[in-house]
């Protein structure tokens, strides 16, 4: 799936990727890749403007964490508003995908 | 190769110092992780950087994002400045005795200028608001910034007239409680106009950066 197709859903994908546990940018990209079975491929750098935008919107919060060894990382987690927004996006997606699925399925089964 | 990439990214994020430092540190850590987990080979760095995307594209995404936030912040400050000047004017009008003894012409001139400058500021801000209704963000900003600058200038003239009136009041009747209220309102007026002016300078620099780099 190309990056253009993902753009409209990037916010929901990023929010869902940090739903289970706080994560830094690289871990979020890996989580997206893992959960989509390698289907969602986007330039990794595009995740950072999205994280920044979601943080500014109050849906994510971030802090620097200093590991015992190695470089410090900025870790992102969902805020209360982020949890609500993700729930809303999931509900919208269920409605939308259900409608598209029904529409396309009826289209295919229409007798010629 | 990664150092060159980070240098390009730094140049692309030069419009915001704090953001640049933060993003570059995050990206450096990200690339380190990606390199550590990549298959080793002759072109590992190149492949990792290809997967990450062009630094210019990342810079452009951030530039647009921050620009939109700055534009919005400028409008909020302009609205607060108009409100602060209006309140300070009301306090002046109800507190400063008219006309000041021996200063009829000065008082009439200052109070007229104060009011006209405020009305011009509101009209200029309204023009800027109309310019903001264009669909394209940079076109909006370019057309909106001149009326906002004019508005800030008119607000500053109004505040200077207020300063002159306040000075006249204090020199005539001394530093009374009413004079202190007028001074407090005037200080707030100057602070908010100062914040608006600083924001306009930042926005103007950002427009210049985008013109040079995008």
């Amino acid at each position: 799936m190309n990056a253009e197709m993902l753009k409209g859903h990037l916010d929901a994908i990023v929010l869902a990727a940090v739903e289970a546990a706080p994560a830094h940018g690289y871990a979020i990209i890996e989580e997206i890749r893992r959960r989509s079975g390698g289907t969602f491929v986007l330039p990794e750098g595009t995740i950072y403007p999205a994280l920044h935008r979601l943080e500014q919107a109050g849906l994510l919060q971030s802090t620097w964490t200093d590991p015992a060894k190695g470089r410090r990382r900025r870790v992102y987690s969902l805020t209360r508003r982020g949890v609500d927004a993700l729930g809303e996006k999931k509900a919208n997606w269920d409605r939308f995908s259900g409608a598209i699925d029904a529409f396309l399925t009826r289209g295919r089964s229409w007798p010629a | 190769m990664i150092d060159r990439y980070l240098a390009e990214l730094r140049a692309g994020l030069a419009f915001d110092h704090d953001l640049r430092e933060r993003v570059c540190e995050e990206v450096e850590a990200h690339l380190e992780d990606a390199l550590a987990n990549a298959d080793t080979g002759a072109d590992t760095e190149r492949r990792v950087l290809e997967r990450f995307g062009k630094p210019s594209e990342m810079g452009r995404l951030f530039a647009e994002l921050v620009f939109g936030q700055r534009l919005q912040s400028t409008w909020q400050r302009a609205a607060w400045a108009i409100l602060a000047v209006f309140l300070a004017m009301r306090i002046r009008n109800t507190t400063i005795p008219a006309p000041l003894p021996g200063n009829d012409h000065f008082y009439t001139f200052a109070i007229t200028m104060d009011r006209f400058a405020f009305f011009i500021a509101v009209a200029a801000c309204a023009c800027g608001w109309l310019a903001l209704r264009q669909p394209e963000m940079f076109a909006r900003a370019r057309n909106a910034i001149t009326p906002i600058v004019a508005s800030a200038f008119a607000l500053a003239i109004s505040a200077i007239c207020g300063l002159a009136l306040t000075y006249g009041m204090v020199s005539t009747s001394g530093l009374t409680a009413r004079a202190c209220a007028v001074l407090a309102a005037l200080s707030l007026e100057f602070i908010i106009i100062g914040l608006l002016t600083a924001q306009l300078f930042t926005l103007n620099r950002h427009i210049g950066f985008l013109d040079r780099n995008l």
Side-chain angles (χ1 to χ4, degrees):
Chain A
M1 192 177 280
N2 66 31
E4 281 303 312
M5 288 174 76
L6 281 179
K7 261 185 188 171
H9 308 290
L10 188 59
D11 288 2
I13 292 169
V14 171
L15 292 175
V18 293
E19 186 182 15
H24 53 75
Y26 181 75
I28 292 169
I29 282 282
E30 285 297 301
E31 178 70 1
I32 291 171
R33 194 174 293 141
R34 187 187 64 77
R35 279 168 62 175
S36 70
T39 309
F40 297 165
V41 179
L42 68 164
E44 293 176 8
T46 56
I47 200 81
Y48 291 97
L51 288 169
H52 185 79
R53 181 164 39 78
L54 291 168
E55 191 177 5
Q56 293 292 313
L59 305 184
L60 289 179
Q61 59 191 7
S62 70
T63 48
W64 288 108
T65 55
D66 285 304
K69 134 180 141 159
R71 185 184 289 278
R72 68 177 185 157
R73 300 276 191 281
R74 193 153 189 101
V75 170
Y76 295 85
S77 57
L78 282 181
T79 60
R80 187 66 246 169
R81 278 178 63 193
V83 172
D84 294 343
L86 179 60
E88 197 178 317
K89 283 177 190 297
K90 281 178 178 175
N92 286 341
W93 174 254
D94 281 344
R95 275 198 301 276
F96 179 74
S97 62
I100 288 283
D101 188 47
F103 185 84
L104 293 180
T105 306
R106 276 200 295 273
R108 274 202 299 273
S109 61
W110 189 259
Chain B
M1 199 181 274
I2 284 182
D3 287 344
R4 200 168 63 233
Y5 185 94
L6 288 170
E8 276 183 48
L9 183 60
R10 292 181 82 81
L13 297 172
F15 56 87
D16 188 320
H17 174 267
D18 291 345
L19 179 76
R20 182 186 66 191
E21 296 307 311
R22 172 183 154 170
V23 171
C24 284
E25 192 171 351
E26 282 189 271
V27 169
E28 204 171 351
H30 182 118
L31 294 175
E32 267 184 18
D33 285 341
L35 275 175
N37 292 308
D39 299 328
T40 51
D43 276 348
T44 312
E45 279 196 10
R46 189 185 54 76
R47 276 187 284 115
V48 163
L49 291 177
E50 260 178 19
R51 243 184 22 225
F52 197 82
K54 291 179 181 169
S56 57
E57 176 61 12
M58 196 172 168
R60 188 186 63 79
L61 289 171
F62 268 115
E64 288 182 4
L65 185 63
V66 174
F67 189 76
Q69 289 162 355
R70 282 181 175 163
L71 197 55
Q72 190 183 358
S73 169
T74 304
W75 274 96
Q76 284 169 352
R77 287 189 189 187
W80 280 112
I82 284 177
L83 182 66
V85 171
F86 176 74
L87 289 175
M89 271 177 68
R90 292 295 302 162
I91 291 171
R92 278 197 289 276
N93 291 349
T94 53
T95 308
I96 297 176
L100 292 167
N103 277 323
D104 295 10
H105 296 303
F106 161 77
Y107 175 85
T108 309
F109 176 75
I111 206 109
T112 307
M113 280 291 285
D114 195 2
R115 282 176 187 164
F116 270 106
F118 178 74
F119 289 133
I120 289 168
V122 172
C125 210
C127 290
W129 182 78
L130 287 174
L132 263 188
R133 294 169 72 87
Q134 293 180 43
E136 206 273 309
M137 188 168 67
F138 297 139
R140 265 189 291 167
R142 285 194 188 91
N143 293 332
I145 198 165
T146 307
I148 308 176
V149 169
S151 182
F153 186 69
L155 289 175
I157 289 176
S158 178
I160 289 166
C161 290
L163 179 67
L165 285 166
T166 309
Y167 176 76
M169 180 192 187
V170 172
S171 59
T172 309
S173 51
L175 199 60
T176 59
R178 293 166 77 184
C180 286
V182 173
L183 273 172
L186 190 68
S187 306
L188 178 72
E189 199 176 6
F190 271 107
I191 288 168
I192 293 181
I193 292 170
L195 290 173
L196 174 62
T197 307
Q199 184 68 21
L200 282 166
F201 274 112
T202 307
L203 193 65
N204 197 41
R205 273 205 310 273
H206 199 145
I207 290 176
F209 178 85
L210 292 171
D211 282 341
R212 287 190 303 277
N213 293 281
L214 294 185

